Amino acid sequence: MLNWVLTNIQESPVILMFLSLSLGYLLGNIRFGKFQLGGVAGSLLVAVVLSLLNVHIDSGLKALLFTLFIYAVGYESGPQFFRSLGVKTLREIFLALFIAITGFITVMIMARLFHLDKGLAAGLAAGGLTQSAILGTAADALTHMGLPADQLQQLQANVAIGYAVTYIFGSLGAIIICMNVLPKIMGKDIRDDAVAAEAEQLKGAMALEGNQGMAITQMVGRIYVVEHDIQKSIKDIELENLGITIERIKRHGNLIDCTPSTILKREDIILIVGRREAVTSVSTLFGRELDAEPGLEVIVDTKNVVFRNPEYANKTMAEIRSKVHMSDKDFEIQHGIYLIELHRNGEKVDLTPDTEFKLGDVMTIYGSTSDINRVVHIIGAPITVNSKTDWAYHGMGVVLGLIIGWVVIRIGNIPITLGAGGGALLSGLFFGWLRARKQTFGNMPAAASQFMKDFGLAGFVSVVGLQSGLQAITTIKEHGLTLFLIGVVVTLVPMILAIFFGRYVLRYDNAAVFAGALAGSRSANPAFGEVLDKAGNAIPTTPFAVTYALANVFLTLLGPLIVALV
């Protein structure tokens, strides 16, 4: 029976990946006091155990899963990332540089203390700092040293050995530092700080999830019986009482046309829709309120529209709603339509009388279905919300990212490249930014993006564990625990020092932002995935994206330096 199972697993090794995911997330959900591994770290540990079955799993699957994860991360964070570039990113630059320098010093000290050769020291850096590119730059540097062939072969083999032994804890240790040590040192919770940072970005608006809604709604509807002799047209009443719309009129038991020139009469029953404060303020103008009235039921809707009407571009709200300059056409366009939110380049814009409208703004409008259908194409183009992913758009985004990863820039004899991961991240950032500006194409539902991130990262670390776990265990048996424990030091020391440096020198005061930056400065993708999951929003992504890109350069340079100086 066992042989039958092993034979079939050899034919379908992906089953081990999904088994790692399932058991890993079960393990990751278990709390040990205040400590919790999380699903990604749990999947990695289970995969290392399952690697004892010695089942080959293709590296192409690992590359695919990581590409999905990192592209989705970039796509979600594109608008915020490009807004954040500038002086505000100096902290991330210094943090990434600090990690690279302290990592280099730690590796050099350990190599001298334990008499490691150039190969083992370079492998130690690659695994302990989880920067696989060091393998390539160190191996290339060794070939330029003019060593005898047998010595060169041994040193290059030692690079791989050092990497295999230290990489597993390099990933796991980064998770522990970012998820448990950093919040404890800062005395803050990642989730709480992520929520606070998101609230600051939303400028007072509340981020609702799932089926959540506000107990007191911004827009309301009321039914009144007109008990006063008003004798004014609907247009005049609405212009004198901004924020309300008379949607329906019932006169002598019959619905009548509701036009700008319609005059309200005593005993009319009217339906008013509008902003809550405006509707309540005019309650005494009409008469008593009714709970319901047959025939006055109206369906309301909320829709996002890209503003494309040049006639109203660069005008303020006050100018557009001016009573003096408002024609009947302008009134009919605005009648029954309420602007709830305005976003520009993905960022919320405060709504005041002096707010100017710019072409490309995204307007969130509210009103009856008939009113919205009447004006939406006059305003611009509706943003269609559906459950389908625009893979014509995102497929091209992934392709572009992979092509960017091919580009190699040489500094002397040192090749520098973003790789497939860095390229996919950069492409995702750009395509996310472009989607935020245009909105009419490139749809990716939040659930689809979340699935790509969760499955991509957890699947990636599972494949890493299945591929490297057995080799690491075997190497530890052959060489003892010394090299593994040295790797633990190389993983932990730079990150712990960076926490104090970031907290007291760079003045990071938000645990979610700091955790994202720290994970990126160590190229610690599994740790970032756990931070992102704990945060519950995209707040850690921008600092991660900046430091991750820098780490791909700074840490890659360590390979030749270690080979030259050890």
Side-chain angles (χ1 to χ4, degrees):
M1 180 66 178
L2 181 60
N3 288 335
W4 177 81
V5 171
L6 291 175
T7 300
N8 282 278
I9 288 177
Q10 292 284 354
E11 296 295 325
S12 181
V14 176
I15 193 172
L16 292 182
M17 184 193 75
F18 282 101
L19 186 59
S20 299
L21 292 176
S22 178
L23 298 180
Y25 269 81
L26 286 174
L27 176 63
N29 288 331
I30 299 174
R31 285 191 174 275
F32 304 93
K34 292 185 177 181
F35 176 78
Q36 187 176 16
L37 274 176
V40 174
S43 297
L44 178 61
L45 287 179
V46 172
V48 170
V49 174
L50 293 178
S51 71
L52 295 173
L53 296 175
N54 196 21
V55 174
H56 172 74
I57 187 165
D58 192 83
S59 295
L61 178 60
K62 178 175 68 175
L64 170 64
L65 291 168
F66 182 65
T67 299
L68 289 176
F69 162 72
I70 205 68
Y71 176 82
V73 166
Y75 171 76
E76 281 194 354
S77 308
Q80 180 187 346
F81 173 78
F82 285 104
R83 288 198 307 270
S84 300
L85 290 179
V87 177
K88 291 185 290 185
T89 59
L90 285 176
R91 288 192 310 183
E92 281 69 46
I93 295 172
F94 286 124
L95 183 66
L97 188 59
F98 182 85
I99 282 281
I101 292 172
T102 53
F104 172 71
I105 293 173
T106 306
V107 170
M108 292 299 295
I109 291 174
M110 291 295 103
R112 295 287 172 83
L113 286 176
F114 293 92
H115 308 291
L116 303 180
D117 61 35
K118 296 177 183 294
L120 284 175
L124 173 67
L129 301 176
T130 57
Q131 179 52 261
S132 302
I134 294 176
L135 294 173
T137 57
D140 183 68
L142 287 169
T143 61
H144 289 88
M145 294 191 67
L147 299 171
D150 57 341
Q151 186 180 357
L152 174 62
Q153 185 177 1
Q154 181 60 55
L155 288 175
Q156 289 181 335
N158 285 350
V159 174
I161 290 172
Y163 176 78
V165 171
T166 58
Y167 184 82
I168 299 299
F169 186 81
S171 296
L172 183 61
I175 294 174
I176 294 171
I177 293 293
C178 290
M179 293 295 296
N180 298 279
V181 177
L182 183 149
K184 189 168 184 178
I185 290 176
M186 293 188 70
K188 294 189 172 189
D189 181 76
I190 289 176
R191 174 59 179 163
D192 291 344
D193 277 10
V195 171
E198 184 179 49
E200 184 178 350
Q201 283 186 358
L202 293 173
K203 298 182 178 179
M206 302 198 62
L208 302 177
E209 301 177 0
N211 295 319
Q212 291 179 337
M214 299 299 295
I216 301 177
T217 57
Q218 183 180 357
M219 308 301 297
V220 298
R222 296 285 190 271
I223 299 174
Y224 293 104
V225 177
V226 179
E227 296 179 329
H228 309 294
D229 191 15
I230 297 176
Q231 291 299 318
K232 289 183 179 180
S233 68
I234 289 177
K235 179 180 177 181
D236 290 337
I237 294 172
E238 292 186 7
L239 289 177
E240 291 173 3
N241 301 276
L242 295 178
I244 69 166
T245 298
I246 300 174
E247 285 285 352
R248 295 285 188 273
I249 301 175
K250 193 172 187 180
R251 182 173 294 166
H252 307 308
N254 298 312
L255 292 175
I256 66 171
D257 290 337
C258 191
T259 67
S261 59
T262 301
I263 304 295
L264 282 189
K265 296 183 179 180
R266 190 189 296 268
E267 297 185 359
D268 284 347
I269 301 176
I270 60 175
L271 168 65
I272 293 180
V273 176
R275 301 187 186 279
R276 179 170 47 83
E277 62 275 12
V279 171
T280 55
S281 68
V282 300
S283 58
T284 57
L285 176 64
F286 303 110
R288 72 181 187 277
E289 183 178 351
L290 301 181
D291 291 331
E293 179 66 23
L296 296 190
E297 300 85 359
V298 172
I299 297 175
V300 293
D301 196 5
T302 302
K303 189 175 288 292
N304 290 327
V305 183
V306 179
F307 177 58
R308 290 182 175 174
N309 191 328
E311 183 179 349
Y312 297 103
N314 302 316
K315 291 184 178 180
T316 65
M317 291 182 63
E319 290 172 340
I320 293 173
R321 303 183 69 172
S322 171
K323 302 176 187 179
V324 177
H325 301 100
M326 183 178 292
S327 64
D328 285 345
K329 175 189 172 185
D330 293 334
F331 178 80
E332 288 181 9
I333 291 175
Q334 297 181 44
H335 176 77
I337 298 298
Y338 294 91
L339 180 60
I340 305 300
E341 287 184 353
L342 183 69
H343 287 83
R344 184 169 298 150
N345 297 329
E347 187 173 8
K348 186 178 179 182
V349 177
D350 289 333
L351 293 176
T352 69
D354 296 324
T355 300
E356 285 190 357
F357 296 108
K358 303 289 184 181
L359 296 178
D361 287 351
V362 176
M363 297 177 163
T364 303
I365 60 174
Y366 171 96
S368 68
T369 303
S370 59
D371 285 333
I372 286 182
N373 291 338
R374 186 185 75 250
V375 304
V376 66
H377 293 287
I378 299 174
I379 297 172
I383 298 174
T384 303
V385 179
N386 56 51
S387 59
K388 293 185 178 180
T389 300
D390 184 357
W391 274 109
Y393 180 80
H394 294 293
M396 190 56 64
V398 173
V399 168
L400 178 62
L402 296 177
I403 292 174
I404 292 172
W406 292 346
V407 178
V408 178
I409 299 173
R410 290 188 173 272
I411 302 177
N413 291 323
I414 304 172
I416 301 296
T417 177
L418 287 174
L425 175 62
L426 187 61
S427 178
L429 290 169
F430 173 74
F431 274 65
W433 169 80
L434 186 61
R435 160 68 179 176
R437 287 181 62 86
K438 301 300 182 182
Q439 293 283 320
T440 53
F441 54 81
N443 184 57
M444 183 187 288
S449 176
Q450 189 64 45
F451 174 79
M452 286 175 64
K453 291 188 297 182
D454 291 345
F455 178 60
L457 181 63
F460 165 75
V461 300
S462 295
V463 175
V464 167
L466 291 170
Q467 288 184 325
S468 306
L470 178 60
Q471 183 182 359
I473 293 171
T474 303
T475 306
I476 290 172
K477 287 181 179 178
E478 292 176 355
H479 295 82
L481 284 173
T482 302
L483 189 58
F484 173 81
L485 294 176
I486 294 172
V488 172
V489 173
V490 170
T491 294
L492 297 182
V493 169
M495 295 194 77
I496 292 174
L497 292 176
I499 292 176
F500 289 100
F501 178 72
R503 183 75 176 95
Y504 297 108
V505 178
L506 299 180
R507 300 294 181 182
Y508 277 99
D509 58 1
N510 185 292
V513 172
F514 192 9
L518 186 62
S521 64
R522 254 291 318 278
S523 296
N525 300 300
F528 171 63
E530 292 283 25
V531 169
L532 203 61
D533 182 64
K534 177 69 173 178
N537 56 38
I539 289 298
T541 305
T542 292
F544 169 82
V546 176
T547 54
Y548 178 82
L550 294 169
N552 271 320
V553 177
F554 294 157
L555 295 181
T556 300
L557 291 172
L558 297 188
L561 288 174
I562 292 170
V563 168
L565 298 176
V566 168

